[in-house]
Amino acid sequence: MKTIHVSTFVNGDAVEFICAPDESLLDVLRNRLGLTGVKEGCGTGDCGACSVTLDGRLVCACLVLGAEAEGAAVGTVEGIADGDTLHPLQQSFIDHAALQCGICTPGILVAAKALLEKNPDPTDTEVRYWLAGNLCRCTGYDKIIHAVQDAAQKMRSA
Amino acid sequence: MVAVTIWGSLRRFTDGQGQVEVKASNFKELLDNLSQDYPGLKPQIERGVSLALDGRIYREAWFTEIGPNSEVVLMPYMAGG
Amino acid sequence: MALDNSPKRVFTVVGTRPPRPDGVDKVTGRALYGADVSAPGMLSAHILRSPHPHAAIVSIDASAAEALPGVKAVVTAADFAPQEDDFLRDVLDNCMARDKVLYDGHAIAAVAATTSAIAKAALKLIKVTYKALPHVTDVDVALRADAPVVQTGRSLETVPEGMSQNVTGHCEFGHGDLEAGFAKADLVVTRSFTTAATHQGYIEPHACLASMTADGKADLWCCTQGQYNVRSLCAALLGMEASQLRVTASEIGGGFGGKTTVFIEPVALALSRKTGRPVKIVMSRDEVFKATGPTVSSSIDVKIGMTKDGRITAGEAQLRYSGGAFPCGTVDMGAQAAFAAYDLAAVRTLGWNVLTNRPKEAAYRAPGAPQAIYAVESVVDELCQKLGLDPLNVRLKNAAHKGTKSSYGPTFDDIGLVATLEAAKAHPHYSAPLGEGQGRGLSAGFWFNFGGNTCVSLNVNTDGTVGITEGNPDIGGSRAAISQMAAEELGIPYDKIRTIIADTSSLGHNDVTDGSRVTFSVGLATIEAARDAITKMCHRAARIWGIDEEAVVWKDGAAQPAGPNAGKFPPMTLADIAAVSFNTGGPIAGHYEFNADGAGVSFGVHLCDVEVDRETGATKVLRYTVFQDAGKAVHPSYVEGQMQGGAVQGIGWALNEEYIYGTDGRLQNAGFLDYRVPVASDLPPIETVILEIPNPGHPYGVRGVGETPIVPPLAAVSNAVSRAIGTRLNSLPMSPPRILKALSKG
């Protein structure tokens, strides 16, 4: 089978890989680049556990082909912290117990960060609807909303 | 002798009695003697039972001491999730 | 290990909210879950699954698959030795069908190849000849004498003669004179209910990596709630000894009971044995829905009698549960839990387990209780409505309390039901006004909670820090709670302690993380292990001071002389003693192993306000409050998390979640699009009120809390919806089409 050579940027680093034409960006990130922070929950774009950004746009990596990353900037959970300094969202999730098993957390952090970059002062309803594509089975979402709002407030006053 | 409460669907193996008297000073003796006195109970006991002793549920503890005035209730072996 | 009640304990670490030790790893993506590891030379495997709900396997020809370049092995049931024991045979037959396939998605063969794509392609080359058989997926149809028989000869001795062979189990509980009880009632209501099967819905599909070497030793990495149980099951199915199989639990992406057994692990081990290479299997979401362990589906009849001033005089329930194609004992627990919240003179519950051509049931948070309590609490609510009585007052009037002979037999000790009911009654939610088209529902709920086999090892490092090794995968923040309890006992700061979860070779057996048992039993073992280490540290101090061992006590994190007569020595902290441990006898550790009993039951009460759109049938949950007795909340944030998470799973179960089977016996909604779990925009904040009625069986009073929260929501939501639309509903889920149908019936 013909493979495709792709040059892209992941979390700011120049990266190259080869992949099959029908291979998803999710599989590339996890299996070829070793970035297992992005998770497969369903493979069909219904759970959001594979949320990443592609040129700043929030997408499900399972619905994007690896080949589509050519020349683009991919953002994953591994790129959210600044070196060893956690992003306010990450710190807030720990402080507010907004994670239990944590499998949805990478996707939710990527999604929440994308929201706050677009809308730094969302209402609770806006946060809930933005995150409606990210399933969480452990928390009931309550502490997640608190954590996002607390981080948003800290980021606004920084 | 200890009075043991038997749950409803097992009573056909104890001649319809909801409570039977058994010689026992601990959990293991109780189960061994129940099986002996009422052989129809043996399959269930072998599959597993719990014992509620004065309101506390014990799942497997053979040497749990049973006093003559204790409330002893036989229960199915419990599983959770 | 009874409750430490004298003097009344003041906690310094227990009851606070420190950060969880796995937090940073999980928010940075560093934490490793089941599918996140690889090994050199690793093969990928996929599983071939039956498209038929019920069929005989006439032949399997894997030759073309085996010949495909890159394929290294194919396994079927023939690669596993048959099992004598019923329980193990069912586990094995479920992992890999032998002779018959029993449900849509049942595994029949597995292929290991150098890439996942090749393994998938190889599946298509396996030729299977089936002989389709009649199937049955409905529990009440499966009971009938003329129903297709799923398995023969599986009925236990408790099943009366003359029933369909699909009826495999029967139970009965209760006490008192029902006839007399119903005669005393002013109103008797009899209703029938059905609940659809649901799935735990963990976001992480099952995944494992098995590596067996030529000397017969194996390493298995998997996401599981119980690595020791995985070891026991896999060792039995593969014919290995326990010490030869080392199972490591990954971080787990949700379990809720569904990861307490094995599905792919024996298959991966068998493939690894056959190929001599590591083999990785990751389930797809479709496979998770079709071929792991959903709940039972149920059909329940309830009859309750009440006087006009709200006293329940008699209660009766018949529960028919189906745990799929293999015998299942969940109805025993449902039948025991059904009336557990009530103090009744006359009560009887009968339970039946019935086989259907559906996947093999696995536990889901308080297995059996949600369905049974949904039915009972719905009838209690209907009685309250008809008699014009306040539903909370009626619960209070009939509530089980210390000294109540429970519906399942034992007499209750200290329990927190009345306290939770009173907290609900006093809460502003209960008296808040309701708008047009809105309804309020409530339900009590209950779970037994367990203890179980537990080992903890606590090691004191020479720099004064402490390492705790325990054996229970952390599904709710237990590592933090365990460190907190150790910090409390030792008198050292929380962040001096690191708790890790051992693999099966590093620590003795621990029962599965289930039954809401970890904070209770592992906590208890940790407290005892800490006390063991303290005793040893006091002995070291005594030797250093040259005084009698009995003359040293532990206070505020240090060894001190017991009194002025013992001698004037400044206290030696844990760090001081640890620093010279090599000189005073060697490394210092405490440990504890036991089979814990005395887990306290946990009661909860939920209040739910809904608004129903009469045009679309959609229900909006407006307000939700959870009241629960935690005994002692070691880490209140994680107790709240269990209350909120369980409540939301229950809301999903009540409103939308169900397994939908076609007349062809195939599962129609094996994905998150059509198996609709709650999302963030569906829900309001979930408010929590923690009560603390200490459990006499634990030094700090801890009760398990994880399972009870899924029990009340089914009836709380159903009662709210029924009141909102003015018609009682008796089937779950109450999805929009069903609500519209109920509205049109008038």
Side-chain angles (χ1 to χ4, degrees):
Chain A
M1 182 179 12
K2 183 173 160 39
T3 52
I4 299 179
H5 175 259
V6 178
S7 298
T8 184
F9 290 86
V10 179
N11 299 325
D13 294 331
V15 162
E16 290 181 50
F17 58 85
I18 58 168
C19 67
D22 60 350
E23 199 169 325
S24 69
L25 178 60
L26 173 61
D27 283 342
V28 165
L29 286 167
R30 287 182 55 82
N31 301 331
R32 299 204 188 258
L33 301 179
L35 290 166
T36 57
V38 62
K39 307 296 179 194
E40 177 166 340
C42 70
T44 52
D46 298 312
C47 75
C50 66
S51 298
V52 298
T53 54
L54 191 63
D55 286 336
R57 185 179 160 204
L58 185 64
V59 297
C60 282
C62 69
L63 297 180
V64 174
L65 294 173
E68 292 183 69
E70 174 66 43
V74 178
T76 72
V77 69
E78 288 92 343
I80 291 183
D82 178 14
D84 66 351
T85 306
L86 293 179
H87 186 280
L89 273 168
Q90 291 170 308
Q91 188 60 53
S92 189
F93 267 55
I94 295 173
D95 295 340
H96 288 278
L99 62 133
Q100 288 179 33
C101 81
I103 195 88
C104 72
T105 305
I108 291 193
L109 285 170
V110 169
K113 179 164 175 280
L115 168 66
L116 296 183
E117 276 159 13
K118 214 168 115 107
N119 177 359
D121 192 3
T123 62
D124 279 3
T125 303
E126 284 171 325
V127 176
R128 284 182 179 273
Y129 273 86
W130 184 270
L131 292 178
N134 291 83
L135 300 184
C136 172
R137 200 54 166 163
C138 293
T139 67
Y141 305 101
D142 189 285
K143 293 181 190 298
I144 290 174
I145 309 304
H146 280 302
V148 172
Q149 290 293 40
D150 188 49
Q153 197 243 322
K154 290 196 162 83
M155 286 162 73
R156 285 194 301 272
S157 43
Chain B
M1 295 296 273
V2 172
V4 184
T5 303
I6 306 289
W7 77 79
S9 38
L10 293 182
R11 291 173 194 164
R12 55 204 277 246
F13 305 118
T14 58
D15 307 312
Q17 299 174 83
Q19 210 178 62
V20 299
E21 294 251 317
V22 157
K23 187 169 186 299
S25 62
N26 66 37
F27 193 3
K28 186 171 196 312
E29 278 176 31
L30 185 110
L31 293 184
D32 288 346
N33 290 339
L34 265 180
S35 293
Q36 205 177 1
D37 296 349
Y38 304 98
L41 294 179
K42 205 159 174 239
Q44 178 66 60
I45 289 174
E46 274 171 9
R47 280 195 299 271
V49 290
S50 304
L51 189 86
L53 181 63
D54 297 322
R56 255 176 86 145
I57 299 179
Y58 294 83
R59 287 208 287 177
E60 285 160 318
W62 279 351
F63 308 122
T64 306
E65 279 177 28
I66 303 175
N69 297 321
S70 295
E71 176 198 73
V72 180
V73 179
L74 205 65
M75 290 174 63
Y77 190 79
M78 317 289 276
Chain C
M1 294 118 244
L3 176 63
D4 270 356
N5 240 340
S6 51
K8 184 95 171 75
R9 185 137 189 182
V10 173
F11 293 104
T12 53
V13 184
V14 163
T16 63
R17 300 172 190 249
R20 56 190 295 155
D22 51 327
V24 173
D25 282 348
K26 287 181 175 174
V27 299
T28 55
R30 265 209 307 273
L32 295 175
Y33 294 84
D36 294 339
V37 297
S38 299
M42 182 180 86
L43 302 173
S44 297
H46 284 285
I47 295 178
L48 182 66
R49 297 182 178 281
S50 165
H52 300 288
H54 196 193
I57 302 172
V58 176
S59 65
I60 304 177
D61 177 3
S63 51
E66 280 162 336
L68 187 68
V71 169
K72 298 300 174 188
V74 175
V75 296
T76 63
D79 290 281
F80 293 91
Q83 293 289 324
E84 288 293 312
D85 177 76
D86 279 349
F87 171 78
L88 288 172
R89 192 179 61 242
D90 285 347
V91 172
L92 177 58
D93 287 353
N94 189 46
C95 292
M96 195 63 64
R98 190 184 294 269
D99 303 332
K100 271 214 310 181
V101 289
L102 297 171
Y103 55 90
D104 169 31
H106 196 171
I108 30 170
V111 178
T114 50
T115 72
S116 173
I118 293 173
K120 268 197 196 145
L123 292 183
K124 299 194 177 112
L125 300 175
I126 300 178
K127 299 187 194 54
V128 184
T129 311
Y130 297 101
K131 177 169 175 292
L133 297 166
H135 62 269
V136 57
T137 53
D138 180 274
V139 59
D140 285 329
V141 172
L143 255 177
R144 299 205 296 241
D146 59 349
V149 173
V150 178
Q151 289 197 50
T152 57
R154 300 306 308 268
S155 305
L156 296 176
E157 79 285 354
T158 47
V159 177
E161 295 283 324
M163 301 199 79
S164 160
Q165 290 203 71
N166 287 329
V167 181
T168 60
H170 171 55
C171 62
E172 183 185 327
F173 304 93
H175 56 262
D177 184 344
L178 277 172
E179 212 180 299
F182 284 122
K184 282 195 211 124
D186 291 311
L187 179 61
V188 174
V189 167
T190 305
R191 284 277 165 259
S192 294
F193 300 84
T194 57
T195 69
T198 57
H199 193 273
Q200 304 83 353
Y202 34 82
I203 307 299
E204 177 201 31
H206 299 250
C208 70
L209 174 60
S211 188
M212 194 172 309
T213 45
D215 59 357
K217 290 209 265 287
D219 282 299
L220 177 67
W221 165 276
C222 59
C223 54
T224 178
Q225 292 173 240
Q227 61 277 36
Y228 296 88
N229 189 43
V230 171
R231 179 178 70 170
S232 302
L233 293 174
C234 289
L237 300 188
L238 277 278
M240 294 173 75
E241 292 180 323
S243 57
Q244 299 302 90
L245 174 57
R246 179 175 185 173
V247 183
T248 304
S250 67
E251 290 293 341
I252 183 173
F256 315 109
K259 290 180 178 162
T260 55
T261 181
V262 294
F263 300 102
I264 52 175
E265 295 76 4
V267 178
L269 280 163
L271 283 167
S272 184
R273 180 158 60 186
K274 210 165 180 182
T275 60
R277 291 168 69 161
V279 173
K280 182 170 178 178
I281 303 183
V282 181
M283 278 183 135
S284 67
R285 179 53 54 183
D286 183 85
E287 289 179 289
V288 172
F289 275 115
K290 286 191 167 141
T292 57
T295 64
V296 300
S297 52
S298 80
S299 174
I300 302 173
D301 311 315
V302 172
K303 179 179 174 185
I304 300 180
M306 192 182 279
T307 62
K308 53 180 186 283
D309 62 344
R311 186 81 181 102
I312 299 177
T313 58
E316 188 176 9
Q318 282 226 36
L319 304 96
R320 294 170 292 283
Y321 283 11
S322 177
F326 297 87
C328 157
T330 297
V331 73
D332 289 3
M333 291 181 294
Q336 290 177 90
F339 289 98
Y342 295 101
D343 178 26
L344 300 176
V347 59
R348 185 169 72 196
T349 53
L350 292 105
W352 311 89
N353 185 69
V354 187
L355 300 179
T356 52
N357 292 110
R358 288 174 174 238
K360 184 176 192 291
E361 180 255 21
Y364 179 17
R365 229 162 182 160
Q371 300 89 334
I373 290 178
Y374 154 69
V376 167
E377 290 292 301
S378 297
V379 173
V380 172
D381 195 60
E382 185 177 348
L383 283 160
C384 292
Q385 264 190 313
K386 291 199 155 111
L387 293 170
L389 298 168
D390 177 282
L392 245 175
N393 286 339
V394 165
R395 299 312 194 290
L396 274 164
K397 196 167 197 146
N398 295 279
H401 49 265
K402 181 170 176 156
T404 294
K405 183 173 168 62
S406 68
S407 56
Y408 55 97
T411 301
F412 282 126
D413 198 331
D414 280 316
I415 55 172
L417 176 58
V418 171
T420 48
L421 287 167
E422 279 170 348
K425 192 171 168 182
H427 195 275
H429 184 170
Y430 196 61
S431 43
L434 283 167
E436 187 78 33
Q438 297 179 356
R440 177 168 299 144
L442 77 92
S443 174
F446 161 87
W447 187 246
F448 307 93
N449 299 331
F450 304 140
N453 296 290
T454 313
C455 296
V456 168
S457 173
L458 186 150
N459 294 279
V460 180
N461 302 316
T462 53
D463 66 353
T465 60
V466 168
I468 297 176
T469 306
E470 51 113 349
N472 276 92
D474 183 347
I475 63 177
S478 46
R479 276 170 290 196
I482 287 158
S483 296
Q484 283 174 272
M485 287 186 265
E488 192 74 54
E489 281 299 309
L490 294 170
I492 63 175
Y494 168 82
D495 56 17
K496 295 285 181 200
I497 301 177
R498 183 171 180 181
T499 297
I500 64 157
I501 295 155
D503 63 62
T504 57
S505 295
S506 307
L507 190 65
H509 178 97
N510 285 270
D511 283 350
V512 176
T513 295
D514 70 351
S516 308
R517 60 173 285 272
V518 174
T519 311
F520 169 73
S521 12
V522 182
L524 219 169
T526 300
I527 291 166
E528 290 296 331
R531 292 177 181 176
D532 184 27
I534 286 169
T535 303
K536 290 165 180 170
M537 288 190 287
C538 287
H539 291 177
R540 299 287 178 104
R543 296 217 58 193
I544 291 168
W545 294 330
I547 65 176
D548 201 54
E549 281 178 359
E550 310 305 310
V552 179
V553 294
W554 190 266
K555 192 172 181 295
D556 298 329
Q560 310 185 1
N565 294 340
K568 257 183 158 36
F569 301 102
M572 281 191 83
T573 65
L574 181 145
D576 294 334
I577 297 171
V580 295
S581 54
F582 293 174
N583 306 93
T584 58
I588 297 172
H591 67 100
Y592 198 72
E593 303 78 34
F594 75 142
N595 190 348
D597 284 303
V601 302
S602 180
F603 281 96
V605 173
H606 292 202
L607 292 180
C608 175
D609 292 352
V610 303
E611 185 172 283
V612 179
D613 182 326
R614 297 182 85 95
E615 261 190 75
T616 62
T619 300
K620 182 111 188 114
V621 179
L622 300 170
R623 188 170 180 179
Y624 203 96
T625 311
V626 178
F627 304 83
Q628 189 166 336
D629 173 20
K632 176 68 196 166
V634 175
H635 194 307
S637 301
Y638 301 140
V639 173
E640 290 160 0
Q642 293 303 305
M643 292 160 74
Q644 292 169 327
V648 168
Q649 286 181 318
I651 290 170
W653 196 332
L655 289 177
N656 279 303
E657 294 178 41
E658 60 176 318
Y659 265 49
I660 301 174
Y661 280 90
T663 49
D664 60 357
R666 305 196 68 191
L667 182 61
Q668 297 191 333
N669 61 333
F672 279 129
L673 186 62
D674 294 317
Y675 181 89
R676 178 64 163 77
V677 304
V679 303
S681 50
D682 290 333
L683 299 161
I686 310 288
E687 207 182 321
T688 55
V689 176
I690 299 174
L691 290 100
E692 292 181 321
I693 289 86
N695 169 21
H698 186 279
Y700 299 170
V702 167
R703 294 178 191 273
V705 298
E707 290 168 285
T708 295
I710 203 174
V711 178
L714 278 60
V717 177
S718 179
N719 291 339
V721 171
S722 299
R723 285 167 181 260
I725 65 172
T727 304
R728 300 286 327 174
L729 291 168
N730 51 23
S731 184
L732 295 183
M734 298 172 292
S735 52
R738 294 217 179 89
I739 289 185
L740 288 176
K741 195 167 170 190
L743 285 171
S744 69
K745 277 205 269 194

